[in-house]
Amino acid sequence: MAYTDIQTRGRLATCWRHGVAQNMNSDQQAVRHETGDQPEVVDATRMPDAELLAQLLYRGQPPAVRKHQAESLLQAFGGLRGLVVASRLGTGARAGLTDADALRIRLAHELVKRQLRQSLQRGVALTSPALTIEYLQTCLRDRNREIFTCLFLDTRHRVIKAEDLFQGSIDGASVYPRVVAERALRLSAAAVIVAHNHPSGVNEPSLADQAITRRLKDALLLLEIRLLDHFIVGDGPPVSMASRGLL
């Protein structure tokens, strides 16, 4: 399974655990399967993709039918990631994705995004790079336009606010360092992490990305605000410009 499908699958599993299984033991993170007269408790994170999708979309169907429908959808869209993208773009009808099922998938994805956003709520310290990366990847990957987002942090690198500041076209977005600096001042931020997506899926920093990063860093330094990193989100793991020595 590709890295990107593993990420998408994990997010759908998270949504299933937080949504459908919310009234169960949180340490067990389980859902119930009907296997005869006595229900069996199964760990949702260990479910195959098709079974997880079947539980989300086809719970009212007989087990064999819902399994076949889920497997057909995954095959038609090349996995969970393609299915999520098609549900958002409204391009899945010909391959058997109904409007109602597409809506359920979009709602599941939105629940995951909001859960991650709450994990970065005011006062949470960004001590885990993995949490930052997962949040940025979930919110920015597979968007059909470039989105430039900012995480504003205090002196202890606790999140003050996460905001999308600029939106562009399929191949670019205009970013104004003055706007970022003004927003950071208004929020009394001591540091900023920025990120944007590449709708093409290529997550290598372009020359334009490097140039705007330098301008952002210089503009913020004049106000004694640090630019900690600039992430590029595309296919695969997001690229940290700080780790590349480009900051």
Side-chain angles (χ1 to χ4, degrees):
M1 184 185 298
Y3 171 87
T4 49
D5 272 351
I6 293 174
Q7 293 293 307
T8 304
R9 183 194 186 284
R11 293 176 191 123
L12 284 175
T14 300
C15 177
W16 175 259
R17 295 197 306 272
H18 283 275
V20 178
Q22 63 182 348
N23 61 338
M24 294 187 171
N25 188 312
S26 59
D27 294 329
Q28 191 174 22
Q29 300 294 2
V31 296
R32 293 189 180 274
H33 269 267
E34 294 182 3
T35 54
D37 296 333
Q38 188 68 25
E40 178 188 357
V41 178
V42 180
D43 187 345
T45 62
R46 297 180 182 273
M47 283 183 171
D49 290 356
E51 189 173 359
L52 181 67
L53 186 63
Q55 289 287 340
L56 182 65
L57 300 182
Y58 307 122
R59 285 183 59 80
Q61 301 287 345
V65 173
R66 66 191 185 201
K67 179 182 178 182
H68 173 73
Q69 289 176 314
E71 289 175 343
S72 297
L73 277 183
L74 291 175
Q75 183 176 3
F77 294 101
L80 289 172
R81 180 183 177 186
L83 187 59
V84 170
V85 173
S87 70
R88 189 176 67 245
L89 298 180
T91 58
R94 292 185 179 180
L97 182 65
T98 67
D99 290 343
D101 291 341
L103 175 60
R104 291 188 185 95
I105 293 172
R106 291 198 303 274
L107 292 175
H109 191 250
E110 182 61 28
L111 281 173
V112 174
K113 288 169 59 178
R114 294 189 184 193
Q115 179 261 326
L116 286 170
R117 189 177 296 119
Q118 289 177 12
S119 298
L120 294 177
Q121 64 188 348
R122 186 179 182 93
V124 175
L126 291 183
T127 57
S128 170
L131 176 61
T132 307
I133 289 172
E134 185 177 11
Y135 170 77
L136 294 172
Q137 191 170 35
T138 301
C139 293
L140 295 177
R141 196 186 68 181
D142 295 326
R143 301 284 289 271
N144 58 359
R145 296 188 177 197
E146 276 203 13
I147 307 294
F148 190 92
T149 193
C150 298
L151 300 179
F152 298 100
L153 314 176
D154 66 12
T155 55
R156 296 185 181 181
H157 293 175
R158 294 175 299 188
V159 176
I160 299 173
K161 196 165 188 180
E163 286 188 343
D164 295 339
L165 285 189
F166 309 104
Q167 179 171 311
S169 63
I170 193 171
D171 60 356
S174 296
V175 177
Y176 301 98
R178 175 178 57 82
V179 174
V180 178
E182 286 178 350
R183 191 63 179 141
L185 275 179
R186 185 177 295 274
L187 293 171
S188 299
V192 180
I193 294 174
V194 301
H196 77 279
N197 62 312
H198 284 175
S200 65
V202 177
N203 56 0
E204 285 298 313
S206 66
L207 292 177
D209 294 335
Q210 296 177 46
I212 193 62
T213 301
R214 290 191 295 268
R215 291 177 58 201
L216 280 168
K217 180 180 178 180
D218 291 344
L220 290 169
L221 276 179
L222 290 174
L223 303 172
E224 298 183 345
I225 299 171
R226 294 182 59 201
L227 179 63
L228 298 181
D229 210 337
H230 185 173
F231 287 95
I232 311 297
V233 180
D235 291 336
V239 170
S240 161
M241 293 184 67
S243 67
R244 293 278 189 93
L246 299 174
L247 201 59

